[in-house]
Amino acid sequence: EIVLTQSPGTLSLSPGERVTLSCRASWSVSSNYLSWYQQKPGQAPRLLMYGASNRATGIPDRFSGSGSGTDFTLTIRRLEPEDFAVYYCQQYSSSPYTFGQGTKLEIK
Amino acid sequence: QVQLQESGPGLVKPSETLSLTCTVSGGSISSSYWSWIRQPAGEGLEWIGRISPSGSTSYSPSLNSRVTMSVDTSKNQFSLKLSSVTAADTAVYYCARDVSWFDPWGPGTLVIVSS
């Protein structure tokens, strides 16, 4: 199975800052079959990006995704207070689907 | 828009079978694949498996021997059974529409395995 490794584990940042989260795959993710989710405490994950760089419906354009092969990133251009959460990547290139272990964004 | 809701017992005894149902509203279950995903407290997400409207399934190899999924198109529901549970199966269980990525998700239901 494809193992996804996210880094860093935790980031302490301030509103207004720019942040880039990393997701690295143990094998190439074909056709950029990678998605990103945001999860806030007590809530289900919410889809942010699919196909590595396509924003889901209703996701603000301060969120962007990029990458290919084994290296993918999620960038948040200017952090808003509501962006502090845990972010997960997920690959659907091969079964079983797998998730990264998550990156937690916390307010500095 | 499509909404999902998990239901089932919140407490299951060790060695017994966990059974959950996901009810789909606002759309037809025949329009997509559907998945179950779980999350132990304070941990990450684990994909359990998926089911098609016709009932064909694909399970995670780590759970394959204990998982059974089914679909009831007349009720717009799909279900999960996980047998021989242990404390390690304690988690929040989510159902989600599976278009390869997952969207939307149900709110999740906590299942505790304890005697």
Side-chain angles (χ1 to χ4, degrees):
Chain A
E1 71 179 47
I2 295 178
V3 176
L4 298 178
T5 302
Q6 292 186 240
S7 60
T10 302
L11 271 172
S12 297
L13 296 163
S14 300
E17 290 194 80
R18 175 189 176 98
V19 63
T20 297
L21 310 182
S22 172
C23 176
R24 177 162 291 178
S26 60
W27 296 95
S28 181
V29 176
S30 60
S31 303
N32 293 342
Y33 285 165
L34 188 113
S35 56
W36 289 92
Y37 302 85
Q38 177 194 67
Q39 186 178 33
K40 297 180 180 179
Q43 296 184 15
R46 176 176 73 142
L47 176 70
L48 295 176
M49 315 288 299
Y50 62 92
S53 60
N54 300 290
R55 273 188 301 277
T57 302
I59 302 303
D61 62 6
R62 64 180 182 273
F63 290 89
S64 63
S66 65
S68 63
T70 60
D71 290 296
F72 297 86
T73 59
L74 175 71
T75 298
I76 310 173
R77 196 173 62 236
R78 281 179 57 86
L79 282 167
E80 298 286 344
E82 63 266 27
D83 299 336
F84 291 90
V86 180
Y87 292 83
Y88 294 96
C89 56
Q90 176 237 335
Q91 66 80 24
Y92 47 94
S93 171
S94 67
S95 188
Y97 297 156
T98 49
F99 292 88
Q101 81 280 19
T103 290
K104 181 179 181 180
L105 287 187
E106 59 180 27
I107 298 178
K108 194 172 185 178
Chain B
Q1 81 248 27
V2 172
Q3 293 184 308
L4 296 89
Q5 179 68 56
E6 305 88 351
S7 59
L11 181 64
V12 181
K13 290 182 167 56
S15 80
E16 295 190 344
T17 297
L18 176 160
S19 296
L20 296 174
T21 296
C22 183
T23 301
V24 179
S25 59
S28 171
I29 200 167
S30 298
S31 64
S32 183
Y33 281 66
W34 307 90
S35 272
W36 288 97
I37 299 144
R38 70 180 183 178
Q39 184 174 38
E43 298 185 24
L45 299 160
E46 179 184 22
W47 177 72
I48 300 170
R50 73 190 313 219
I51 188 165
S52 75
S54 64
S56 64
T57 55
S58 175
Y59 302 143
S60 172
S62 65
L63 297 169
N64 182 67
S65 63
R66 297 194 292 131
V67 172
T68 303
M69 294 183 183
S70 59
V71 63
D72 187 337
T73 54
S74 67
K75 294 182 178 178
N76 237 29
Q77 293 177 334
F78 62 103
S79 298
L80 168 71
K81 291 188 186 298
L82 182 66
S83 64
S84 304
V85 297
T86 69
D89 295 309
T90 294
V92 175
Y93 286 74
Y94 297 101
C95 58
R97 183 172 58 182
D98 180 345
V99 287
S100 295
W101 56 89
F102 305 114
D103 182 52
W105 298 55
T109 188
L110 174 62
V111 178
I112 296 172
V113 178
S114 175
S115 56

